[in-house]
Structure formats: structure tokens, C-alpha cells
Amino acid sequence: MKAEIKTLFSLDIEKHLQDYQPEDTNNFSIWLRMIVGEKGKGGEESFDVFICTPKWLLDNCSEDEVIFGYQHLIVFKYNFQEIKEKIESYINNLSGSNWDDLANKISLIGKWEFEDYKD
């Protein structure tokens, strides 16, 4: 089984991500929502990834903090096409025996809406 990105958008930004430009492309952060489903089939679920630059981290975190990079994508500048291609490459190269297997792999880069769900 394979996954595919159905759409990408941000809850932080009203514009389409392709048209968006932060004030400082080297110092920004945004939340990106990935809508992903099984390749060639209906159904989709959301995964959220926090995207920021090293400069943003330096400006917004204290020197004594220790930060895990889990579900964070660190880029050196805002270039939507490069960000999109990197995420698509990661997801397109995944495979799993079922959707839960795939979703758990995707959740390494973005918080799955059902990540902590219990029946």
C-alpha cells in the first residue's frame, strides 16, 4: 500500500502557500497541514508539521532549551516548491501493509489527527 498527498495548506496563512512570502524568508515559522490518503483511493486524514528556520529557533527559544525535532521541518529559507517536493518525496517513498502502518510512518514528520486515538 502507498500513500499520496491530496492537499497542503496552512491554518496560519490565508493565501495559497505557493503565493505566500513571509516578511523574512530566512526567519519564519508556519504550521503546514498535509491531507494524505491511500494512493488512488478515496479517504484522507490530516497530519500537521511545524516548519521553521534555524534563525527563527534562535530568536524564539532560549539557549538553555533542548528541542526535539520530532514533527518539525527545519528549512533555511521559505521556498514552497522545495518544501513541497521534500515532503512529497518522503511520503511517495513510503509503503505499508495497511493504512495504520503508513499513517504511523507519516506521523514521524507530521502529527496525525488520530495519533493518540484509543477505541
Side-chain angles (χ1 to χ4, degrees):
M1 176 181 285
K2 302 289 275 180
E4 69 180 347
I5 295 173
K6 308 286 184 169
T7 190
L8 297 172
F9 63 93
S10 176
L11 299 174
D12 298 334
I13 301 164
E14 291 181 20
K15 292 182 176 185
H16 187 282
L17 290 165
Q18 210 162 352
D19 300 326
Y20 171 72
Q21 280 298 310
E23 274 185 40
D24 183 347
T25 60
N26 300 311
N27 185 359
F28 76 94
S29 71
I30 60 168
W31 279 99
L32 178 75
R33 177 154 292 169
M34 304 177 291
I35 304 299
V36 183
E38 186 178 346
K39 187 171 185 167
K41 303 231 173 152
E44 55 193 34
E45 294 176 9
S46 70
F47 299 81
D48 295 333
V49 61
F50 184 73
I51 301 173
C52 66
T53 60
K55 179 136 179 52
W56 184 91
L57 287 170
L58 289 168
D59 289 351
N60 291 276
C61 302
S62 68
E63 289 184 17
D64 60 344
E65 283 187 74
V66 177
I67 302 167
F68 288 101
Y70 181 59
Q71 299 172 339
H72 284 60
L73 178 63
I74 300 169
V75 299
F76 289 91
K77 66 181 182 321
Y78 185 82
N79 181 316
F80 176 69
Q81 193 59 37
E82 288 178 9
I83 292 168
K84 180 181 175 209
E85 288 172 6
K86 186 68 168 181
I87 291 171
E88 284 177 337
S89 175
Y90 176 81
I91 290 175
N92 290 343
N93 285 303
L94 294 176
S95 61
S97 57
N98 57 48
W99 175 250
D100 281 346
D101 187 30
L102 271 174
N104 281 309
K105 291 176 183 179
I106 298 165
S107 74
L108 295 175
I109 65 166
K111 181 162 178 36
W112 181 23
E113 67 179 300
F114 297 109
E115 190 167 311
D116 298 321
Y117 177 77
K118 304 279 189 247
D119 283 334

